[in-house]
Amino acid sequence: MTAFRFAVNAVPIEVDVPGMRRLLDVLREDLGLTGTKEGCGEGECGACTVLLDGSPVDSCLVPICQVDGSSIATVEGLAASAGPGAGASTHGPADVPPVLDGLQAAFLEAGGAQCGICTPGMLMAARAYLDDGGGPDEDAIREAIAGNLCRCTGYTKIVEAIAMAARAG
């Protein structure tokens, strides 16, 4: 095994795992970050989408050896702790609820989340779109989330939520 160093949600991490272990498994099993979901395990559904150096990737397809020295953002990193030192860390006091990211708040307001399996991946794909300067254009939003499948919503509420977040800036 080899030690791999990278950042997850701005927190430096070192793991000693086989190099071909999937990023998804390291996040969920080794680091306890279970927000990232496994859907298909084949890179087809987008449920496991995280941001690797700001770009959306299917974490079920990324071996940990490819993230050494990189920065990973997961859905847990979207909400900021409301406790002392709020900011990049999402691990604030258990009795203090996190402050939702504007995109998460828009999903909540628009009803963009239903069963929750696709939601983390959809949020991360949308976050990458918005971070790249994406606006409220429906066609552009649909293109940005094209790699993320949802069987519950029909996408309308998801697109509305992302457009709402884009308008809010």
Side-chain angles (χ1 to χ4, degrees):
M1 290 197 281
T2 305
F4 297 98
R5 293 174 189 84
F6 51 97
V8 177
N9 301 324
V11 176
I13 299 290
E14 181 176 325
V15 294
D16 191 17
V17 297
M20 292 307 290
R21 185 165 170 81
R22 300 182 311 170
L23 173 59
L24 174 64
D25 298 327
V26 170
L27 292 171
R28 291 183 58 80
E29 297 169 14
D30 300 324
L31 302 179
L33 297 172
T34 58
T36 302
K37 306 299 183 210
E38 179 165 12
C40 67
E42 298 177 357
E44 295 292 327
C45 72
C48 66
T49 301
V50 297
L51 303 186
L52 173 60
D53 294 329
S55 297
V57 298
D58 294 322
S59 63
C60 71
L61 297 180
V62 178
I64 199 68
C65 63
Q66 290 185 353
V67 305
D68 196 39
S70 295
S71 178
I72 306 296
T74 70
V75 69
E76 288 92 348
L78 291 181
S81 168
S89 174
T90 60
H91 305 296
D95 60 338
V96 179
V99 177
L100 294 181
D101 174 83
L103 179 60
Q104 289 173 304
F107 263 66
L108 187 62
E109 185 176 333
Q114 289 191 13
C115 82
I117 295 297
C118 77
T119 305
M122 202 67 79
L123 283 166
M124 297 314 292
R127 172 51 51 216
Y129 170 75
L130 295 172
D131 287 351
D132 284 344
D137 177 68
E138 181 178 341
D139 291 336
I141 292 170
R142 287 184 181 275
E143 184 176 333
I145 63 170
N148 296 75
L149 303 179
C150 176
R151 296 179 64 161
C152 299
T153 67
Y155 302 95
T156 301
K157 299 292 185 184
I158 293 169
V159 172
E160 287 175 11
I162 298 168
M164 186 183 307
R167 283 190 291 275

